Amino acid sequence: MPPLSPSSPASPLPLPYDAVVGALRAAGCVFAEDEARLILAAARTPDELAAMVDRRVTGLPLELVLGWAEFRRLRIAVEPGVFVPRRRTEFLVEQALTTAPDASVVVDLCCGSGAVGAALADALGTRGRIELHAADIDPAAVRCARRNVAAYGGQVHTGDLFEALPDSLAGRVGILAANVPYVPTDEVGLLPAEARDHEPRVALDGGPDGLDVLRRVAAEAPRWLAPGGCLLIETSERQAPTALDAFIGSGLSARLVVSEELYANVVIGRN
């Protein structure tokens, strides 16, 4: 895509592309040119542009500046205080679709913005009717997720893991995707400032070894999964062996899949 400039028809306003790039680059934005194009395309007035650039150079994640994040070609609405979906999590979605291509009941646990559930429903919906449920303990995430799954008829529930779900789902879930927090408590402070300062700690902190929530999900998952249903959880390379043990200990058959390109590690368990 060519750079936007005062004469570029791709920009809605005669805005100073070079000045925006310079401000972003001075603030340490590695992809200043790409970010400038997105901000210029989103800004409707010079004042709005100035405010968006100011928010970005002071450290607000680009996705929160824009109000959306791209995830599997979908534009996912995000807002302050809600976990921003990562591109590496697209690998979890791909593995879910490969493992359970005929799933008709999908649950997005620890849903955050609801990006995973929306992406799964978008893909599976072309193959038939999908019953989509999502849940999060954070009311801000629930509000955001409702915006993103509404187009798929998804229901979003507030509560702690499985306690949020209707009992009628027990034994019926074909895909249970749980993007649980998995950063060890002592390492949360080492995260990039964009995550550490702008995302809820409950979406990051996984306990002393980062696997507290994963263990809870794995322990209860068999009750909720349909025969042959699958549980998918993202984790780190270092944590993967312990995560596999947790899946196996709950009675699931388990395997690890890895994307070197996205630096993604996903543990898959089947009932």
Side-chain angles (χ1 to χ4, degrees), residues 105-120:
V105 180
V106 173
V107 170
D108 180 4
L109 209 58
C110 300
C111 67
S113 66
V116 170
L120 286 168

Side-chain angles (χ1 to χ4, degrees), residues 129-164:
R129 184 180 179 277
I130 298 301
E131 182 180 348
L132 172 63
H133 294 264
D136 203 287
I137 197 170
D138 185 348
V142 169
R143 288 193 301 271
C144 188
R146 283 181 176 144
R147 296 170 58 190
N148 289 312
V149 306
Y152 308 102
Q155 299 180 50
V156 188
H157 313 278
T158 307
D160 184 20
L161 299 179
F162 296 101
E163 293 177 8

